[in-house]
Amino acid sequence: MVYVYLMKNQKPLNEEVVKGHVEHLKELKRQGKLVLCGPFTDYPGGMVVFTAEDLEEAKKIAESDPFMALGYKTCKVRTLELANEENNYLLGD
């Protein structure tokens, strides 16, 4: 399944915590779980799109990100159903 964690800033970031977050992203990439990620330009936060076996694993992944683990951001985890050409954008046949 594909999941998204949507982050909201809680306190100013520092270089150390950003580096920890980037290492977290690199590890997700190494595991083949990272789909895409980045900060919002019009909202104080960002998102990470990734794969996980289930919602429980997805929440653990999000909570282990240093941004959340150290209290710099809060997040909400959402399950994403991909709509694309292969599944006719979820319209069926």
Side-chain angles (χ1 to χ4, degrees):
M1 291 293 303
V2 177
Y3 296 90
V4 178
Y5 59 91
L6 301 164
M7 299 175 284
K8 183 176 181 184
N9 296 355
Q10 296 300 306
K11 58 185 180 180
L13 301 174
N14 62 53
E15 186 176 345
E16 181 180 337
V17 75
V18 171
K19 285 181 178 180
H21 168 70
V22 169
E23 285 304 313
H24 176 76
L25 296 175
K26 287 179 178 179
E27 180 58 29
L28 289 176
K29 179 72 172 170
R30 279 191 285 275
Q31 294 175 12
K33 295 181 181 215
L34 184 64
V35 176
L36 64 91
C37 59
F40 297 120
T41 59
D42 62 347
Y43 181 83
M47 72 175 191
V48 176
V49 181
F50 63 104
T51 60
E53 291 297 317
D54 55 31
L55 184 57
E56 184 178 328
E57 181 189 12
K59 287 180 179 179
K60 286 179 183 176
I61 288 170
E63 292 166 1
S64 68
D65 184 320
F67 281 170
M68 274 63 71
L70 299 173
Y72 285 85
K73 296 179 184 255
T74 57
C75 76
K76 294 186 179 198
V77 177
R78 297 286 185 246
T79 306
L80 180 65
E81 186 172 10
L82 294 179
N84 54 43
E85 191 172 359
E86 287 77 34
N87 62 21
N88 198 26
Y89 299 91
L90 303 176
L91 286 177
D93 291 330

